């Protein structure tokens, strides 16, 4: 608990040091002490979750920091980011929007602190499948931060990273790769140490490199990132889980499935310990492992993990999220492989509906589901509908894949 609220405490401590009036400093000291007391499980007589501490802080910020709007903005921003880290995206949005509204009243329409809030709102929008909103917010945040700061720094690198990662998830890899390369160069030129934040920037470049078929470059940035993370944070830290997960996909591309499976299992184990079994990122790790196990024909375990992952996503990200569609797709494939087309059909249909609503037309994620759905419909002898889906998928493939022109004999 203390580790996860350290960001909030740091903001409050810095705010206290910045104050010139003894009364305000005393207020913040009191707020800090009571926050720490809330984390003391022995005093409360029961386990106190981070979410409960944040909920208490939300109720008290308006009252106890009244008349200190700059401090309120910082605290709301940090609470919002911490909610997002816990996968509590609705609560995160509420706090970030409050920080944005109050921040505009305090700073005006152009300020680096506002840009950070907008960047966080963009990240949460991406995590909840609102890619167009995330793209727009990221563009505004980056432009504002560039305009209101004197030189590139690690905060700008982080904004560029989140924007590039969102574009990659949305199938816009060319734009993503450009932004993510810029993020790495921005960080390197900032003079900041090669620390945890730098490792995050590196590890986000990896997926875009992989999708550009630059596998050696992707493995190189992942390996550098993981070495930094292990040396600074330890082998069981959540950041190591994310990078290990991404490295597993490189091994899949190379056909090294035993190594990939071992890495996915390591990622699941770390996330279970670090985040618990009700976090969306734990559900994502289960889904990745389930997908590989399906590929390897280990259907019993794959089905069990898929069901667990689907339950987690329904509770955490809702029923309209692309992450949920991914596990529906995996479970649909498993049922098709078992010959249960009638059971697979509603899952694949729903996965396709979600992706069509969340992703742009022709996105590879839509095409992949359409192909599997078409295959399912063929097996059920529903040929006209199958033909429509497969024709659409084939049109998308032809629009994105360059086929070699046969040579004249």
């Amino acid at each position: 608990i203390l580790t996860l609220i350290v960001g909030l405490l740091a903001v409050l401590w810095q705010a206290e040091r910045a104050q010139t009036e003894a009364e305000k400093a005393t207020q913040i000291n009191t707020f800090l002490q009571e926050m720490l007391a809330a984390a003391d499980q022995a005093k409360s007589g029961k386990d106190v979750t981070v979410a409960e501490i944040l909920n208490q802080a939300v109720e008290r910020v308006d009252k106890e920091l009244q008349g200190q709007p700059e401090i309120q903005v910082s605290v709301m921003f940090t609470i919002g980011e911490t909610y997002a880290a816990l996968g509590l995206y609705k609560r995160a949005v509420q706090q970030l929007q409050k920080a944005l509204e109050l921040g505009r009243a305090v700073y005006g329409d152009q300020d680096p602190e506002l840009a950070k809030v907008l960047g966080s709102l963009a990240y949460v929008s991406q995590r909840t499948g609102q890619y167009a909103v995330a793209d727009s917010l990221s563009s505004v945040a980056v432009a504002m931060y560039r305009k209101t700061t004197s030189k590139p720094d690690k905060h700008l690198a982080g904004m560029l990273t989140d924007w590039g990662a969102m574009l990659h998830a949305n199938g816009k890899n060319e734009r993503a790769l450009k932004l993510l390369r810029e993020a790495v160069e921005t960080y390197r030129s900032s003079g900041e140490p090669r620390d945890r934040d730098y490792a995050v920037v590196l590890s986000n470049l990896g997926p875009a490199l992989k999708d550009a078929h630059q596998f050696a470059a992707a493995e190189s940035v992942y390996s550098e990132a993981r070495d930094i993370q292990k040396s600074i944070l330890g082998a069981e830290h959540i950041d190591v889980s994310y990078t290990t997960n991404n490295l597993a996909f490189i091994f899949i591309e190379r056909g090294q499935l035993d190594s990939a499976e071992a890495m996915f299992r390591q990622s699941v184990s770390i996330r279970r310990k670090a985040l618990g079994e009700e976090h969306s990122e734990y559900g994502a790790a289960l889904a990745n492992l389930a997908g590989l196990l399906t590929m390897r024909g280990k259907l019993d375990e794959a089905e069990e993990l898929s069901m667990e992952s689907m339950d987690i996503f329904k509770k955490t990200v809702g029923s309209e999220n692309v992450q949920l569609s991914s596990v529906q797709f995996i479970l649909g494939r498993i049922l098709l492989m078992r010959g249960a087309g009638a059971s697979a059909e509603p899952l694949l249909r729903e996965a396709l509906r979600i992706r069509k609503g969340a992703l742009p037309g022709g996105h590879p994620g839509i095409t992949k589901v359409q192909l599997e759905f078409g295959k399912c419909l063929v097996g059920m002898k529903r040929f006209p509908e199958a033909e429509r889906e497969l024709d659409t998928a084939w049109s998308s493939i032809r629009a994105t894949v360059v086929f070699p022109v046969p040579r004249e004999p």
Side-chain angles (χ1 to χ4, degrees):
I1 290 174
L2 294 177
T3 300
L4 287 172
I5 65 171
V6 70
L8 176 59
L9 301 183
V11 167
L12 293 171
W13 173 249
Q14 290 166 7
E16 179 208 5
R17 292 180 62 193
Q19 299 303 313
T20 57
E21 299 178 29
E23 183 179 349
K24 289 183 178 179
T26 300
Q27 265 189 299
I28 297 170
N29 265 329
T30 301
F31 195 91
L32 265 173
Q33 292 164 7
E34 292 183 1
M35 285 288 295
L36 286 171
D40 185 350
Q41 297 180 9
K43 181 176 179 179
S44 65
K46 65 175 183 177
D47 288 346
V48 180
T49 68
V50 179
E52 288 172 335
I53 293 173
L54 292 173
N55 293 343
Q56 294 169 13
V58 167
E59 293 176 359
R60 294 166 51 193
V61 165
D62 289 339
K63 297 177 182 178
E64 299 185 21
L65 299 179
Q66 185 71 32
Q68 303 174 74
E70 292 184 11
I71 301 173
Q72 284 181 304
V73 171
S74 295
V75 172
M76 289 172 183
F77 171 64
T78 304
I79 291 174
E81 287 213 311
T82 308
Y83 272 136
L86 295 172
L88 301 172
Y89 299 122
K90 289 182 180 179
R91 298 183 195 178
V93 168
Q94 290 171 353
Q95 290 304 303
L96 292 170
Q97 286 181 336
K98 286 177 68 176
L100 182 63
E101 181 179 348
L102 182 58
R104 282 175 171 155
V106 173
Y107 301 113
D109 290 331
Q110 296 288 324
D111 189 87
E113 296 305 313
L114 286 184
K116 293 176 187 178
V117 177
L118 287 167
S120 290
L121 277 169
Y123 171 79
V124 174
S125 297
Q126 183 261 328
R127 298 305 298 170
T128 54
Q130 301 175 71
Y131 294 108
V133 174
D135 193 4
S136 177
L137 287 171
S138 295
S139 178
V140 173
V142 167
M144 183 185 297
Y145 198 81
R146 289 188 197 276
K147 183 177 180 180
T148 56
T149 52
S150 59
K151 63 179 183 178
D153 59 16
K154 65 189 297 182
H155 296 296
L156 176 60
M159 289 181 187
L160 292 168
T161 297
D162 287 343
W163 191 7
M166 180 277 298
L167 290 171
H168 173 263
N170 203 21
K172 300 177 180 178
N173 200 52
E174 186 175 348
R175 283 181 65 200
L177 192 54
K178 181 179 178 181
L179 285 168
L180 292 164
R181 287 188 188 279
E182 183 183 355
V184 172
E185 291 306 315
T186 297
Y187 205 105
R188 287 173 176 168
S189 66
S190 71
E192 296 281 356
R194 304 292 174 90
D195 58 6
R196 176 186 180 183
D197 292 332
Y198 175 66
V200 170
V201 173
L202 279 178
S203 61
N204 275 278
L205 173 59
L209 290 170
K210 179 184 78 71
D211 285 358
H213 302 287
Q214 299 178 33
F215 300 126
E219 183 175 358
S220 176
V221 297
Y222 284 144
S223 297
E224 182 182 354
R226 194 163 69 151
D227 288 346
I228 293 170
Q229 290 162 344
K230 284 184 174 181
S231 66
I232 296 175
L233 305 169
E236 295 296 309
H237 194 274
I238 186 64
D239 287 10
V240 177
S241 161
Y242 295 137
T243 307
T244 299
N245 181 84
N246 289 335
L247 263 173
F249 285 108
I250 299 298
F251 283 103
I252 290 174
E253 293 289 346
R254 292 179 168 170
Q256 298 172 273
L257 301 187
D258 287 341
S259 297
E261 183 176 330
M263 287 188 169
F264 277 143
R265 291 190 185 279
Q266 182 184 354
S267 180
V268 167
S269 176
I270 294 173
R271 293 191 201 188
R272 181 187 294 114
K273 294 174 186 175
L275 302 175
E277 297 184 356
E278 296 184 354
H279 196 288
S280 63
E281 292 299 327
Y282 176 64
L286 292 176
N288 288 334
L289 177 56
L292 177 60
L293 293 175
T294 302
M295 184 189 306
R296 307 195 76 183
K298 301 179 180 181
L299 300 187
D300 288 342
E301 185 181 4
E303 183 172 0
E304 181 181 344
L305 294 176
S306 296
M307 295 295 294
E308 183 179 355
S309 177
M310 189 157 59
D311 287 343
I312 292 169
F313 286 145
K314 286 180 177 178
K315 293 175 184 176
T316 56
V317 299
S319 60
E320 298 294 320
N321 192 273
V322 172
Q323 285 183 302
L324 177 62
S325 76
S326 296
V327 76
Q328 288 171 327
F329 170 74
I330 293 167
L331 188 55
R333 285 194 67 200
I334 293 169
L335 293 170
L336 272 184
M337 293 170 74
R338 293 188 186 280
S343 298
E345 188 270 344
L347 285 166
L348 293 171
R349 183 183 294 278
E350 180 65 6
L352 183 58
R353 183 192 67 78
I354 292 172
R355 293 197 170 197
K356 284 182 175 179
L359 301 174
H363 190 286
I366 295 175
T367 304
K368 180 170 69 173
V369 178
Q370 278 181 317
L371 290 171
E372 203 70 22
F373 186 43
K375 175 182 173 182
C376 176
L377 294 171
V378 168
M380 298 175 70
K381 301 187 185 304
R382 291 163 57 175
F383 299 121
E385 187 178 5
E387 184 177 7
R388 288 195 298 273
E389 296 296 340
L390 294 172
D391 278 347
T392 303
W394 176 237
S395 295
S396 298
I397 292 170
R398 284 187 299 178
T400 55
V401 176
V402 178
F403 295 97
V405 178
R407 292 185 178 181
E408 293 289 341

